[in-house]
Coordinates of all heavy atoms in Angstrom, one line a residue:
M1 N -7.0 15.4 22.9 CA -6.6 14.7 21.7 C -6.7 15.7 20.6 O -7.7 16.4 20.4 CB -7.4 13.5 21.5 CG -7.3 12.9 20.1 SD -8.5 11.7 19.5 CE -8.9 10.8 20.9
T2 N -5.7 15.7 19.7 CA -5.7 16.6 18.5 C -6.1 15.7 17.3 O -5.5 14.7 17.1 CB -4.4 17.3 18.3 OG1 -4.1 18.1 19.4 CG2 -4.4 18.1 17.0
I3 N -7.0 16.2 16.6 CA -7.5 15.5 15.4 C -7.2 16.4 14.2 O -7.6 17.6 14.3 CB -9.0 15.1 15.4 CG1 -9.2 14.2 16.6 CG2 -9.4 14.4 14.1 CD1 -10.6 14.1 17.0
W4 N -6.5 16.0 13.2 CA -6.2 16.7 12.0 C -7.2 16.5 11.0 O -7.5 15.4 10.6 CB -4.8 16.3 11.5 CG -3.7 16.6 12.6 CD1 -3.4 15.8 13.6 CD2 -2.9 17.7 12.6 NE1 -2.4 16.4 14.3 CE2 -2.1 17.6 13.8 CE3 -2.8 18.9 11.9 CZ2 -1.1 18.5 14.1 CZ3 -1.8 19.8 12.2 CH2 -1.0 19.6 13.4
V5 N -7.8 17.6 10.4 CA -8.9 17.5 9.4 C -8.4 18.1 8.1 O -8.0 19.3 8.1 CB -10.2 18.2 9.9 CG1 -11.3 18.1 8.9 CG2 -10.6 17.6 11.3
N6 N -8.4 17.3 7.1 CA -8.0 17.8 5.7 C -9.3 18.0 4.9 O -10.1 17.0 4.9 CB -7.1 16.8 5.0 CG -5.7 16.9 5.5 OD1 -5.0 17.8 5.1 ND2 -5.3 16.0 6.3
E7 N -9.5 19.1 4.3 CA -10.7 19.3 3.5 C -10.3 20.0 2.1 O -9.4 20.8 2.1 CB -11.6 20.3 4.2 CG -12.0 19.7 5.6 CD -12.7 20.8 6.5 OE1 -12.2 21.9 6.5 OE2 -13.6 20.4 7.1
Q8 N -11.0 19.6 1.1 CA -11.0 20.3 -0.2 C -12.3 21.0 -0.3 O -13.4 20.3 -0.3 CB -10.8 19.3 -1.4 CG -9.4 19.1 -1.8 CD -9.2 18.3 -3.0 OE1 -10.2 17.7 -3.5 NE2 -8.0 18.3 -3.6
I9 N -12.3 22.3 -0.5 CA -13.5 23.1 -0.4 C -13.6 23.9 -1.7 O -12.7 24.6 -2.1 CB -13.4 24.1 0.8 CG1 -13.1 23.2 2.1 CG2 -14.7 24.9 0.9 CD1 -12.8 24.0 3.3
D10 N -14.8 23.9 -2.2 CA -15.1 24.7 -3.5 C -15.4 26.1 -3.1 O -15.5 26.5 -1.9 CB -16.2 24.0 -4.3 CG -17.6 24.2 -3.8 OD1 -17.8 25.0 -2.8 OD2 -18.5 23.5 -4.3
P11 N -15.5 27.0 -4.1 CA -15.7 28.4 -3.9 C -17.0 28.7 -3.1 O -17.1 29.8 -2.4 CB -15.8 29.0 -5.3 CG -15.1 28.1 -6.1 CD -15.3 26.7 -5.5
S12 N -18.0 27.9 -3.1 CA -19.2 28.1 -2.3 C -19.1 27.7 -0.9 O -20.0 27.9 -0.1 CB -20.4 27.4 -3.0 OG -20.3 26.0 -2.8
G13 N -18.0 27.0 -0.5 CA -17.8 26.6 0.8 C -18.2 25.1 1.0 O -18.1 24.6 2.2
M14 N -18.6 24.4 0.0 CA -19.0 23.0 0.1 C -17.7 22.1 0.1 O -16.8 22.3 -0.6 CB -19.8 22.6 -1.1 CG -20.3 21.2 -1.1 SD -21.4 20.9 -2.5 CE -22.3 19.5 -1.9
I15 N -17.7 21.2 1.1 CA -16.6 20.3 1.2 C -16.8 19.1 0.3 O -17.8 18.4 0.3 CB -16.5 19.7 2.7 CG1 -16.2 20.9 3.7 CG2 -15.4 18.7 2.8 CD1 -16.4 20.5 5.1
H16 N -15.8 18.9 -0.6 CA -15.8 17.8 -1.6 C -15.0 16.6 -1.2 O -15.3 15.5 -1.6 CB -15.3 18.3 -3.0 CG -16.3 19.2 -3.6 ND1 -17.2 18.7 -4.6 CD2 -16.6 20.5 -3.4 CE1 -18.0 19.7 -5.0 NE2 -17.7 20.8 -4.3
A17 N -14.0 16.8 -0.3 CA -13.2 15.7 0.2 C -12.8 16.0 1.6 O -12.5 17.2 1.9 CB -12.0 15.4 -0.7
C18 N -12.8 15.0 2.5 CA -12.5 15.3 3.9 C -11.9 14.0 4.5 O -12.5 12.9 4.4 CB -13.7 15.7 4.7 SG -13.3 16.2 6.4
I19 N -10.7 14.1 5.0 CA -10.0 13.0 5.7 C -9.6 13.5 7.1 O -8.9 14.6 7.2 CB -8.8 12.5 4.9 CG1 -9.3 11.9 3.6 CG2 -8.1 11.4 5.7 CD1 -8.2 11.4 2.6
A20 N -9.9 12.8 8.1 CA -9.5 13.1 9.5 C -8.6 12.0 10.1 O -8.9 10.9 9.9 CB -10.7 13.4 10.3
C21 N -7.6 12.4 10.8 CA -6.7 11.4 11.5 C -6.1 12.1 12.7 O -6.1 13.3 12.9 CB -5.7 10.8 10.6 SG -4.5 12.0 10.0
C22 N -5.4 11.2 13.5 CA -4.8 11.7 14.7 C -3.2 11.8 14.5 O -2.5 12.3 15.4 CB -5.0 10.8 15.9 SG -6.7 10.7 16.4
N23 N -2.7 11.4 13.4 CA -1.3 11.4 13.1 C -0.9 12.7 12.3 O -1.4 12.8 11.2 CB -1.0 10.2 12.3 CG 0.5 10.0 12.0 OD1 1.1 10.9 11.3 ND2 1.1 9.0 12.6
E24 N -0.1 13.6 12.9 CA 0.2 14.8 12.3 C 1.0 14.6 11.0 O 0.7 15.3 10.0 CB 1.1 15.7 13.2 CG 1.4 17.0 12.7 CD 2.2 17.9 13.6 OE1 2.5 17.4 14.8 OE2 2.6 19.0 13.2
S25 N 1.9 13.7 10.9 CA 2.7 13.5 9.7 C 1.8 13.0 8.6 O 1.9 13.5 7.4 CB 3.8 12.5 10.0 OG 4.5 12.1 8.9
Q26 N 0.9 12.1 8.9 CA 0.0 11.5 7.9 C -1.0 12.6 7.4 O -1.2 12.7 6.2 CB -0.8 10.4 8.5 CG -1.7 9.7 7.6 CD -2.5 8.5 8.3 OE1 -2.8 8.6 9.5 NE2 -2.8 7.5 7.5
A27 N -1.4 13.5 8.3 CA -2.3 14.6 8.0 C -1.6 15.6 7.0 O -2.2 16.0 6.1 CB -2.8 15.3 9.2
K28 N -0.3 15.9 7.3 CA 0.4 16.8 6.5 C 0.7 16.2 5.1 O 0.6 16.9 4.1 CB 1.7 17.2 7.1 CG 1.5 18.2 8.3 CD 2.7 18.6 9.0 CE 2.4 19.6 10.1 NZ 3.5 20.1 10.8
D29 N 0.9 14.9 5.0 CA 1.1 14.3 3.7 C -0.2 14.3 2.9 O -0.2 14.6 1.7 CB 1.5 12.8 3.9 CG 2.9 12.6 4.3 OD1 3.7 13.6 4.2 OD2 3.3 11.5 4.8
C30 N -1.3 14.1 3.6 CA -2.6 14.1 3.0 C -2.9 15.6 2.5 O -3.4 15.8 1.4 CB -3.7 13.7 3.9 SG -5.4 13.7 3.3
H31 N -2.6 16.6 3.3 CA -2.8 18.0 2.9 C -2.0 18.3 1.6 O -2.5 18.9 0.7 CB -2.4 18.9 4.0 CG -2.6 20.3 3.6 ND1 -3.8 21.0 3.4 CD2 -1.6 21.3 3.3 CE1 -3.6 22.2 3.0 NE2 -2.3 22.4 3.0
D32 N -0.8 17.8 1.6 CA 0.1 18.1 0.4 C -0.6 17.4 -0.8 O -0.6 18.0 -1.9 CB 1.5 17.5 0.6 CG 2.3 18.3 1.6 OD1 1.9 19.5 1.9 OD2 3.3 17.7 2.1
S33 N -1.1 16.3 -0.7 CA -1.8 15.6 -1.8 C -3.0 16.3 -2.2 O -3.3 16.5 -3.4 CB -2.2 14.1 -1.4 OG -2.9 13.5 -2.4
F34 N -3.8 16.8 -1.3 CA -5.0 17.5 -1.6 C -4.7 18.8 -2.4 O -5.3 19.2 -3.3 CB -5.8 17.9 -0.3 CG -6.8 16.9 0.2 CD1 -6.8 15.6 -0.3 CD2 -7.8 17.3 1.1 CE1 -7.7 14.7 0.2 CE2 -8.7 16.3 1.5 CZ -8.7 15.0 1.1
E35 N -3.6 19.5 -1.9 CA -3.2 20.8 -2.5 C -2.7 20.5 -3.9 O -3.0 21.2 -4.8 CB -2.1 21.4 -1.6 CG -1.6 22.7 -2.1 CD -2.6 23.8 -1.9 OE1 -3.3 23.8 -0.8 OE2 -2.7 24.7 -2.7
N36 N -1.9 19.4 -4.1 CA -1.3 19.1 -5.4 C -2.3 18.7 -6.4 O -2.1 18.8 -7.6 CB -0.2 18.1 -5.2 CG 1.0 18.7 -4.5 OD1 1.3 19.9 -4.5 ND2 1.8 17.8 -3.9
N37 N -3.4 18.1 -5.9 CA -4.5 17.6 -6.8 C -5.4 18.7 -7.3 O -6.2 18.4 -8.2 CB -5.3 16.4 -6.1 CG -4.5 15.2 -6.1 OD1 -3.7 14.9 -7.0 ND2 -4.7 14.4 -5.1
L38 N -5.4 19.8 -6.7 CA -6.2 20.9 -7.2 C -5.5 21.5 -8.5 O -4.3 21.8 -8.5 CB -6.3 22.1 -6.2 CG -7.2 21.8 -5.0 CD1 -7.1 22.9 -4.0 CD2 -8.6 21.5 -5.4
T39 N -6.3 21.7 -9.6 CA -5.7 22.2 -10.8 C -5.6 23.7 -10.6 O -6.2 24.4 -9.7 CB -6.7 21.9 -12.0 OG1 -7.9 22.6 -11.8 CG2 -6.9 20.4 -12.1
Q40 N -4.8 24.3 -11.5 CA -4.7 25.8 -11.5 C -6.0 26.5 -11.7 O -6.3 27.5 -11.2 CB -3.6 26.2 -12.6 CG -2.2 25.8 -12.2 CD -1.8 26.4 -10.9 OE1 -2.1 27.6 -10.5 NE2 -1.0 25.6 -10.1
M41 N -6.8 25.8 -12.6 CA -8.2 26.4 -12.8 C -9.0 26.4 -11.6 O -9.7 27.4 -11.3 CB -8.9 25.6 -14.0 CG -10.2 26.2 -14.4 SD -11.0 25.3 -15.8 CE -9.9 25.8 -17.1
Q42 N -9.0 25.3 -10.8 CA -9.7 25.2 -9.6 C -9.2 26.3 -8.6 O -10.0 26.9 -7.9 CB -9.6 23.8 -8.9 CG -10.4 22.7 -9.6 CD -10.2 21.4 -9.1 OE1 -9.0 21.0 -8.9 NE2 -11.3 20.7 -8.8
K43 N -7.9 26.4 -8.4 CA -7.4 27.4 -7.5 C -7.8 28.8 -7.9 O -8.1 29.6 -7.1 CB -5.8 27.2 -7.5 CG -5.3 26.0 -6.8 CD -3.8 25.9 -6.8 CE -3.3 24.6 -6.2 NZ -1.9 24.5 -6.3
A44 N -7.7 29.1 -9.2 CA -8.1 30.4 -9.7 C -9.6 30.7 -9.4 O -10.0 31.8 -9.2 CB -7.8 30.5 -11.2
A45 N -10.4 29.6 -9.4 CA -11.9 29.7 -9.2 C -12.2 29.9 -7.7 O -13.3 30.2 -7.3 CB -12.6 28.5 -9.8
G46 N -11.2 29.6 -6.8 CA -11.4 29.7 -5.4 C -11.4 28.5 -4.6 O -11.7 28.5 -3.4
W47 N -11.1 27.3 -5.2 CA -11.0 26.1 -4.4 C -9.8 26.2 -3.5 O -8.8 26.8 -3.8 CB -10.8 24.9 -5.4 CG -12.0 24.4 -6.1 CD1 -12.6 25.1 -7.1 CD2 -12.7 23.2 -6.0 NE1 -13.7 24.4 -7.5 CE2 -13.7 23.2 -6.9 CE3 -12.5 22.1 -5.1 CZ2 -14.6 22.1 -7.0 CZ3 -13.3 21.0 -5.2 CH2 -14.4 21.0 -6.2
V48 N -9.9 25.6 -2.3 CA -8.8 25.5 -1.4 C -8.7 24.2 -0.7 O -9.7 23.4 -0.6 CB -9.0 26.6 -0.2 CG1 -8.9 28.0 -0.8 CG2 -10.2 26.4 0.5
A49 N -7.5 23.8 -0.3 CA -7.2 22.7 0.5 C -6.9 23.2 1.9 O -6.0 24.0 2.0 CB -6.0 21.9 -0.1
R50 N -7.6 22.8 2.9 CA -7.5 23.3 4.2 C -7.1 22.2 5.2 O -7.7 21.1 5.2 CB -8.8 24.0 4.7 CG -8.7 24.6 6.1 CD -9.9 25.4 6.4 NE -11.1 24.5 6.4 CZ -12.3 25.0 6.7 NH1 -12.5 26.3 6.9 NH2 -13.4 24.2 6.7
L51 N -6.1 22.5 6.0 CA -5.7 21.6 7.1 C -6.0 22.3 8.4 O -5.5 23.4 8.6 CB -4.3 21.2 7.0 CG -3.7 20.4 8.1 CD1 -4.4 19.0 8.2 CD2 -2.2 20.2 7.9
R52 N -6.8 21.7 9.3 CA -7.1 22.3 10.5 C -7.2 21.3 11.6 O -7.2 20.1 11.3 CB -8.5 23.1 10.5 CG -9.7 22.2 10.2 CD -10.9 23.0 10.0 NE -12.1 22.1 9.6 CZ -13.0 21.7 10.5 NH1 -12.8 22.0 11.8 NH2 -14.0 20.9 10.1
T53 N -7.2 21.7 12.9 CA -7.2 20.8 14.0 C -8.5 21.0 14.8 O -9.0 22.1 14.9 CB -6.0 20.9 14.9 OG1 -5.9 22.2 15.4 CG2 -4.7 20.6 14.2
V54 N -9.0 19.9 15.4 CA -10.1 20.0 16.3 C -9.8 19.1 17.5 O -8.8 18.3 17.4 CB -11.4 19.5 15.6 CG1 -11.8 20.4 14.5 CG2 -11.3 18.1 15.1
D55 N -10.5 19.2 18.5 CA -10.2 18.5 19.8 C -11.1 17.3 20.0 O -10.9 16.5 20.9 CB -10.4 19.4 21.0 CG -9.4 20.6 21.0 OD1 -8.2 20.3 20.6 OD2 -9.8 21.7 21.3
S56 N -12.1 17.1 19.2 CA -13.1 16.0 19.4 C -13.5 15.4 18.0 O -13.7 16.2 17.1 CB -14.3 16.5 20.2 OG -15.3 15.6 20.1
W57 N -13.8 14.1 18.0 CA -14.4 13.5 16.8 C -15.8 14.1 16.4 O -16.2 14.1 15.3 CB -14.5 12.0 16.9 CG -13.1 11.4 16.8 CD1 -12.4 10.9 17.8 CD2 -12.3 11.2 15.6 NE1 -11.2 10.4 17.4 CE2 -11.1 10.5 16.0 CE3 -12.5 11.5 14.3 CZ2 -10.1 10.2 15.1 CZ3 -11.5 11.2 13.4 CH2 -10.3 10.6 13.8
D58 N -16.4 14.7 17.5 CA -17.7 15.3 17.2 C -17.6 16.6 16.4 O -18.6 17.0 15.8 CB -18.4 15.7 18.6 CG -18.8 14.5 19.4 OD1 -19.0 13.4 18.8 OD2 -18.8 14.6 20.6
E59 N -16.4 17.2 16.3 CA -16.2 18.4 15.5 C -15.8 18.1 14.0 O -15.6 19.0 13.2 CB -15.1 19.2 16.1 CG -15.5 19.7 17.5 CD -14.3 20.4 18.2 OE1 -14.1 21.6 17.8 OE2 -13.7 19.8 19.1
V60 N -15.6 16.8 13.7 CA -15.2 16.4 12.4 C -16.4 16.2 11.5 O -17.4 15.7 12.0 CB -14.4 15.0 12.5 CG1 -14.1 14.5 11.1 CG2 -13.2 15.1 13.3
P61 N -16.4 16.8 10.3 CA -17.6 16.7 9.4 C -18.0 15.2 9.3 O -17.2 14.3 9.2 CB -17.1 17.2 8.1 CG -16.0 18.2 8.5 CD -15.3 17.5 9.6
V62 N -19.3 15.0 9.2 CA -19.9 13.7 9.2 C -19.4 12.9 8.0 O -19.2 11.7 8.1 CB -21.5 13.8 9.2 CG1 -22.1 12.4 9.0 CG2 -21.9 14.4 10.4
N63 N -19.3 13.5 6.8 CA -18.9 12.8 5.6 C -17.5 12.5 5.4 O -17.0 12.0 4.4 CB -19.4 13.6 4.4 CG -18.7 14.9 4.3 OD1 -18.1 15.4 5.2 ND2 -18.7 15.5 3.1
S64 N -16.6 12.7 6.5 CA -15.2 12.5 6.3 C -14.8 11.0 6.5 O -15.5 10.2 7.1 CB -14.5 13.3 7.4 OG -14.7 12.8 8.7
L65 N -13.7 10.7 5.9 CA -13.0 9.4 6.1 C -12.2 9.6 7.4 O -11.4 10.5 7.4 CB -12.1 9.1 4.9 CG -11.3 7.8 5.0 CD1 -12.1 6.6 5.2 CD2 -10.3 7.7 3.8
K66 N -12.4 8.7 8.3 CA -11.8 8.9 9.6 C -10.7 7.8 9.8 O -11.0 6.6 9.7 CB -12.8 8.8 10.8 CG -13.7 9.9 10.7 CD -14.9 9.8 11.7 CE -15.8 10.9 11.5 NZ -17.1 10.7 12.1
L67 N -9.5 8.2 9.9 CA -8.3 7.2 10.0 C -7.8 7.3 11.5 O -7.6 8.4 12.0 CB -7.2 7.6 9.0 CG -7.6 7.7 7.6 CD1 -6.4 8.2 6.8 CD2 -8.1 6.3 7.1
N68 N -7.5 6.2 12.0 CA -6.9 6.1 13.4 C -5.4 5.7 13.3 O -5.0 5.0 12.4 CB -7.6 5.2 14.3 CG -8.9 5.7 14.7 OD1 -9.1 6.9 14.7 ND2 -9.8 4.8 15.1

């Protein structure tokens, strides 16, 4: 099973927002939203929106919102 994980990460590597789901289309929409919600100042400071995949719910950060 592929699980899509969206994260907004600050320059120190701390995750500030995380949403995980099994639907690729929904995950890409969420990633676009995360990316668009970062200000130019945040991007310049090193904030990133990351979309990655994992194979198990055990690999999803504990603090994430999990959507099925």
Side-chain angles (χ1 to χ4, degrees):
M1 166 192 325
T2 299
I3 301 163
W4 299 82
V5 180
N6 280 286
E7 301 165 319
Q8 269 188 343
I9 305 169
D10 74 11
S12 71
M14 183 177 202
I15 297 172
H16 285 262
C18 185
I19 297 176
C21 66
C22 295
N23 181 297
E24 181 178 1
S25 175
Q26 186 178 29
K28 288 181 178 180
D29 288 344
C30 180
H31 176 71
D32 291 342
S33 176
F34 273 18
E35 185 72 36
N36 293 333
N37 285 327
L38 289 175
T39 66
Q40 289 303 320
M41 186 178 288
Q42 284 175 311
K43 290 178 184 180
W47 284 68
V48 294
R50 178 172 65 182
L51 176 61
R52 63 187 178 94
T53 59
V54 296
D55 296 322
S56 164
W57 287 105
D58 293 336
E59 300 174 71
V60 175
V62 174
N63 64 339
S64 68
L65 174 63
K66 297 172 184 165
L67 306 174
N68 286 339

